[in-house]
Amino acid sequence: MLLLRCPLPLLLLLLPLGSRPQKLPTRDEELFQMQIRDKAFFHDSSVIPDGAEISSYLFRDTPKRYFFVVEEDNTPLAVTVTPCDAPLEWKLSVQELPEEASGEGSGDPEPLEQQKQQITNEEGTELFSYKGNDVEYFVSSSSPSGLYQLDLLSTEKDTHFKVYATTTPESDQPYPELPYDPRIDVTSLGRTTVTLAWKPSPTASLLRQPIQYCIVINKEHNFKSLCAVEAKLSSDDAFMMAPKPGLDFSPFDFAHFGFPADNNSGKERGFLKSSKFGRQTSPKPRVDLHRVCIGNKNIFTVSDLKPDTQYYFDMFAVNTNTNMSTAYVGTFARTKEEAKQKTVELKDGKVTDVFIKRKGAKFLRFAPVSSHQKVTFSVHSCLDAVQIQVRRDGKLLLSQSVEGVRQFQLRGKAKAKYLIRLKGSKKGASMLKILATTRPNKQLFPSLPEDTRIKAFDKLRTCSSVTVAWLGTQERNKFCIYKREVDDNYNEEQKKREQNQCLGPDTRKKSEKVLCKYFHSQNIQKAVTTETIKGLQPGKSYLLDVYVIGHGGHSVKYQSKLVKTRKFC
C-alpha cells in the first residue's frame, strides 16, 4: 500500500509511463523519512504522505482536494482531520484506479488529458463525511485498493487545518492516548492561584514514549486541539520552555494579560529574565491566551491570576517524537474574590456560574429589591451532586442534594434576604449554574418533569431500532435526541466521566443527531412522548441523550440511557 509522495501532475504522468505494465512504487521507508524531514517537499502538494501529518490552508468557500493511492485490497487505513480556527466540511471517497495503473493494460499509454479526466472527474464512492470543528477521523481495518480523494471546504473563513493518514495505524500510534478519565481536576483554588491535576497518558506510563504536557490558559473558552491554540496565537511568541524545578508557573508577562506590571516579579521568580519573555512592548495587540509546556509532571499551579476572574484551562499531551498531540477534557474555574468579598451577590433573573473546589463551599446572597410572594431557585449541577442550603433571615428553609437540574420554590417575605450555601462534592471539583428570581415568568431554565429518565421498551427492540419514551411538561419546549455508539463494556461509571452536563447539543457531532421536536401537554398525566430510533447496527450498544431547550436558549440534558439492539432477529 502507498500514500503517494508526489504532486498530482506527476501522479498522472506515472500511470501511462513505459511500454510495459507499470505498478506504483511501494513505500521506501528510508526515502520517506528523508522526504518528510523536508517540509518544502509537501508544501502546496495535493498528495498526502503515508504516516506524516501535513499542515495546510483553506480560503473561504474554496475547496481543496488531496489524493492518495491504496495499491492492495484489505489494507488498514486511518485518516485524521484536525480543524484549527474554523469548522470544516470534509469528505473521503474512493474510485477505482485506471486500468493502466493496475499493471494489466496493453502497454499503450492513454492520452494524458484522457487519464486526468478519468481520475479527477469520476464521482467515486463516498466513505465518510463530516462537518464541524472537532478532531474527526476515519478508520478502517480493511480498505479496498483505489484512488482516494479527500475534499475539504471552509464556509466560515480562511483557516488552517492538519491531515494525518496512515496504512499502519496499529504500529504508528502518533497521537498520545488519553487515560480512562481524561478530565482536568482543579485541586486547589485561591484568589490568584489555581492548581490543576490530571492522570498521565498511557503512552507515557505504559508504552514509555516521550510525552510532555502543555497547558493553555485563557478567559474566553476551551479549545479542542493544539492546532486551534496555535491559530489563535498566530505568530505571537507565547510558547515557553518549562519553568525551573520547584518554581512552577509565572507563565508570561502578565502586564500584557490585564494585570499590573510587577518590576520585582522577574527577580523573585528567576525565569522571566530572558528578553523573549521580559518585553515591555509588543508590535501588535496580544491575545489573552497563553500556553506553557511543563515536561511530564501531572500536577501544576498557575499563579499570579486575577481575583474573581473566570479562566479556561486546557491540557494537551504531546508526543515529542512525532510532535502530535491529544486534548484532555478542558475545564474552567473562577478565582476567589478578595478577602472582603466572601459572598457572591445574585441578581434577580440572571444565571450565575459557580465553581467549587473539592470539598469546598461557596456562599451566595440574594436580596430582592421589591416585595415578593415567592422566590424560585433553579440549580443546574454540571458534574457531581452538590449540597444546597437556603436560609431566609437566618432561618433554614431548604437543605437538599442536587444532581442535574432542580428547581425550588419558597415562600417569600417582605425585605427578606436569602443566604445560599453550596457545598462541593468529595469526589472532585464542582461546577454549576444557579438562577434566583421573584418573577415566576422569568425562567431561563426550561421546565422539567420530576423524573428525567429515558425509558427504553425492551419488547420493542429490534436488530436495527430501539423505542424510547420520556416525560415532558405543560410548557412547550424543544426536545432534541442524540445517539452515540459505545463499546459493549460501557458502564455507568464511564458516563460520569463524560464532559460536564452543562454542555448543550451545540457540542455534539452532527452525525449523532436523531431529531428535534416540540412537545407539551396540558394534561400532565399525558405529557409523555415516544420515539423509535432506526438505522442502528445489530448487537451494538448506544448511548442516548435527550436535551430540552428552553425559551431562553439554555439547554438541559436528561439522564443518559444506555441501550443495545438485538443481535439476532
Side-chain angles (χ1 to χ4, degrees), residues 236-254:
D236 204 357
D237 56 349
F239 200 104
M240 306 184 312
M241 299 299 292
K244 294 180 180 178
L247 292 176
D248 261 8
F249 184 43
S250 180
F252 36 78
D253 182 0
F254 279 94

mmCIF file of all heavy atoms in Angstrom, residues 236-254:
data_model
loop_
_atom_site.group_PDB
_atom_site.id
_atom_site.type_symbol
_atom_site.label_atom_id
_atom_site.label_comp_id
_atom_site.label_asym_id
_atom_site.label_seq_id
_atom_site.Cartn_x
_atom_site.Cartn_y
_atom_site.Cartn_z
ATOM 1 N N ASP A 236 2.493 35.011 17.575
ATOM 2 C CA ASP A 236 2.902 35.521 18.886
ATOM 3 C C ASP A 236 3.788 34.492 19.587
ATOM 4 O O ASP A 236 3.519 33.303 19.543
ATOM 5 C CB ASP A 236 1.664 35.807 19.748
ATOM 6 C CG ASP A 236 1.945 36.830 20.830
ATOM 7 O OD1 ASP A 236 3.108 37.272 20.944
ATOM 8 O OD2 ASP A 236 1.012 37.176 21.546
ATOM 9 N N ASP A 237 4.825 34.948 20.236
ATOM 10 C CA ASP A 237 5.790 34.033 20.836
ATOM 11 C C ASP A 237 5.418 33.748 22.282
ATOM 12 O O ASP A 237 6.150 34.053 23.207
ATOM 13 C CB ASP A 237 7.208 34.593 20.762
ATOM 14 C CG ASP A 237 7.302 35.975 21.403
ATOM 15 O OD1 ASP A 237 6.252 36.570 21.705
ATOM 16 O OD2 ASP A 237 8.439 36.423 21.606
ATOM 17 N N ALA A 238 4.242 33.141 22.488
ATOM 18 C CA ALA A 238 3.821 32.823 23.844
ATOM 19 C C ALA A 238 4.177 31.401 24.239
ATOM 20 O O ALA A 238 3.857 30.967 25.330
ATOM 21 C CB ALA A 238 2.304 33.022 23.979
ATOM 22 N N PHE A 239 4.826 30.639 23.350
ATOM 23 C CA PHE A 239 5.236 29.276 23.692
ATOM 24 C C PHE A 239 6.515 29.346 24.515
ATOM 25 O O PHE A 239 7.475 29.979 24.118
ATOM 26 C CB PHE A 239 5.467 28.486 22.405
ATOM 27 C CG PHE A 239 5.411 27.011 22.615
ATOM 28 C CD1 PHE A 239 4.304 26.303 22.221
ATOM 29 C CD2 PHE A 239 6.464 26.333 23.205
ATOM 30 C CE1 PHE A 239 4.248 24.930 22.397
ATOM 31 C CE2 PHE A 239 6.406 24.981 23.395
ATOM 32 C CZ PHE A 239 5.295 24.268 22.983
ATOM 33 N N MET A 240 6.516 28.699 25.666
ATOM 34 C CA MET A 240 7.648 28.839 26.567
ATOM 35 C C MET A 240 8.240 27.494 26.943
ATOM 36 O O MET A 240 7.618 26.458 26.788
ATOM 37 C CB MET A 240 7.207 29.538 27.857
ATOM 38 C CG MET A 240 6.506 30.849 27.611
ATOM 39 S SD MET A 240 6.150 31.626 29.150
ATOM 40 C CE MET A 240 5.435 30.277 30.023
ATOM 41 N N MET A 241 9.443 27.558 27.440
ATOM 42 C CA MET A 241 10.068 26.353 27.976
ATOM 43 C C MET A 241 9.502 26.084 29.358
ATOM 44 O O MET A 241 8.879 26.929 29.983
ATOM 45 C CB MET A 241 11.593 26.556 28.076
ATOM 46 C CG MET A 241 12.253 26.824 26.725
ATOM 47 S SD MET A 241 12.046 25.461 25.581
ATOM 48 C CE MET A 241 13.078 24.225 26.395
ATOM 49 N N ALA A 242 9.739 24.873 29.858
ATOM 50 C CA ALA A 242 9.246 24.524 31.185
ATOM 51 C C ALA A 242 9.952 25.372 32.247
ATOM 52 O O ALA A 242 11.134 25.689 32.126
ATOM 53 C CB ALA A 242 9.498 23.049 31.459
ATOM 54 N N PRO A 243 9.244 25.764 33.306
ATOM 55 C CA PRO A 243 9.873 26.514 34.393
ATOM 56 C C PRO A 243 10.940 25.667 35.083
ATOM 57 O O PRO A 243 10.961 24.450 34.951
ATOM 58 C CB PRO A 243 8.706 26.791 35.343
ATOM 59 C CG PRO A 243 7.479 26.614 34.510
ATOM 60 C CD PRO A 243 7.814 25.586 33.507
ATOM 61 N N LYS A 244 11.790 26.339 35.840
ATOM 62 C CA LYS A 244 12.819 25.629 36.582
ATOM 63 C C LYS A 244 12.169 24.804 37.696
ATOM 64 O O LYS A 244 11.113 25.154 38.197
ATOM 65 C CB LYS A 244 13.821 26.618 37.169
ATOM 66 C CG LYS A 244 14.631 27.349 36.097
ATOM 67 C CD LYS A 244 15.614 28.310 36.721
ATOM 68 C CE LYS A 244 16.424 29.035 35.639
ATOM 69 N NZ LYS A 244 17.362 30.002 36.215
ATOM 70 N N PRO A 245 12.772 23.684 38.086
ATOM 71 C CA PRO A 245 12.181 22.836 39.123
ATOM 72 C C PRO A 245 11.879 23.624 40.387
ATOM 73 O O PRO A 245 12.685 24.415 40.862
ATOM 74 C CB PRO A 245 13.269 21.779 39.364
ATOM 75 C CG PRO A 245 14.038 21.736 38.077
ATOM 76 C CD PRO A 245 14.024 23.143 37.550
ATOM 77 N N GLY A 246 10.668 23.389 40.925
ATOM 78 C CA GLY A 246 10.275 23.998 42.186
ATOM 79 C C GLY A 246 9.667 25.370 42.065
ATOM 80 O O GLY A 246 9.147 25.914 43.031
ATOM 81 N N LEU A 247 9.697 25.958 40.862
ATOM 82 C CA LEU A 247 9.179 27.315 40.718
ATOM 83 C C LEU A 247 7.761 27.332 40.171
ATOM 84 O O LEU A 247 7.073 28.335 40.279
ATOM 85 C CB LEU A 247 10.092 28.129 39.787
ATOM 86 C CG LEU A 247 11.480 28.428 40.338
ATOM 87 C CD1 LEU A 247 12.309 29.158 39.292
ATOM 88 C CD2 LEU A 247 11.368 29.292 41.590
ATOM 89 N N ASP A 248 7.336 26.221 39.575
ATOM 90 C CA ASP A 248 6.019 26.142 38.954
ATOM 91 C C ASP A 248 5.811 27.280 37.985
ATOM 92 O O ASP A 248 6.659 27.534 37.146
ATOM 93 C CB ASP A 248 4.914 26.053 40.006
ATOM 94 C CG ASP A 248 4.471 24.599 40.178
ATOM 95 O OD1 ASP A 248 5.110 23.704 39.618
ATOM 96 O OD2 ASP A 248 3.479 24.378 40.878
ATOM 97 N N PHE A 249 4.769 28.072 38.134
ATOM 98 C CA PHE A 249 4.295 28.829 36.975
ATOM 99 C C PHE A 249 4.093 30.314 37.264
ATOM 100 O O PHE A 249 3.299 30.685 38.095
ATOM 101 C CB PHE A 249 2.975 28.206 36.524
ATOM 102 C CG PHE A 249 2.409 28.819 35.284
ATOM 103 C CD1 PHE A 249 3.214 29.125 34.211
ATOM 104 C CD2 PHE A 249 1.055 29.061 35.196
ATOM 105 C CE1 PHE A 249 2.681 29.653 33.065
ATOM 106 C CE2 PHE A 249 0.512 29.598 34.050
ATOM 107 C CZ PHE A 249 1.325 29.889 32.992
ATOM 108 N N SER A 250 4.890 31.126 36.601
ATOM 109 C CA SER A 250 4.518 32.521 36.388
ATOM 110 C C SER A 250 4.591 32.666 34.880
ATOM 111 O O SER A 250 5.614 33.038 34.323
ATOM 112 C CB SER A 250 5.490 33.467 37.086
ATOM 113 O OG SER A 250 5.125 34.801 36.871
ATOM 114 N N PRO A 251 3.550 32.255 34.149
ATOM 115 C CA PRO A 251 3.713 31.773 32.780
ATOM 116 C C PRO A 251 4.038 32.791 31.719
ATOM 117 O O PRO A 251 4.444 32.423 30.653
ATOM 118 C CB PRO A 251 2.354 31.130 32.498
ATOM 119 C CG PRO A 251 1.400 31.881 33.346
ATOM 120 C CD PRO A 251 2.169 32.237 34.573
ATOM 121 N N PHE A 252 3.824 34.054 31.972
ATOM 122 C CA PHE A 252 4.087 35.019 30.908
ATOM 123 C C PHE A 252 4.111 36.408 31.517
ATOM 124 O O PHE A 252 3.896 36.589 32.699
ATOM 125 C CB PHE A 252 3.019 34.937 29.812
ATOM 126 C CG PHE A 252 1.655 34.638 30.326
ATOM 127 C CD1 PHE A 252 0.884 35.631 30.923
ATOM 128 C CD2 PHE A 252 1.147 33.355 30.257
ATOM 129 C CE1 PHE A 252 -0.366 35.333 31.428
ATOM 130 C CE2 PHE A 252 -0.105 33.066 30.762
ATOM 131 C CZ PHE A 252 -0.860 34.052 31.342
ATOM 132 N N ASP A 253 4.381 37.382 30.674
ATOM 133 C CA ASP A 253 4.406 38.767 31.132
ATOM 134 C C ASP A 253 2.983 39.217 31.376
ATOM 135 O O ASP A 253 2.253 39.548 30.456
ATOM 136 C CB ASP A 253 5.072 39.646 30.058
ATOM 137 C CG ASP A 253 5.182 41.086 30.500
ATOM 138 O OD1 ASP A 253 4.755 41.410 31.621
ATOM 139 O OD2 ASP A 253 5.708 41.881 29.708
ATOM 140 N N PHE A 254 2.547 39.212 32.635
ATOM 141 C CA PHE A 254 1.146 39.500 32.928
ATOM 142 C C PHE A 254 0.764 40.947 32.654
ATOM 143 O O PHE A 254 -0.399 41.304 32.663
ATOM 144 C CB PHE A 254 0.832 39.151 34.392
ATOM 145 C CG PHE A 254 0.591 37.687 34.589
ATOM 146 C CD1 PHE A 254 1.631 36.863 34.976
ATOM 147 C CD2 PHE A 254 -0.649 37.131 34.356
ATOM 148 C CE1 PHE A 254 1.423 35.501 35.149
ATOM 149 C CE2 PHE A 254 -0.858 35.783 34.531
ATOM 150 C CZ PHE A 254 0.179 34.978 34.930
#
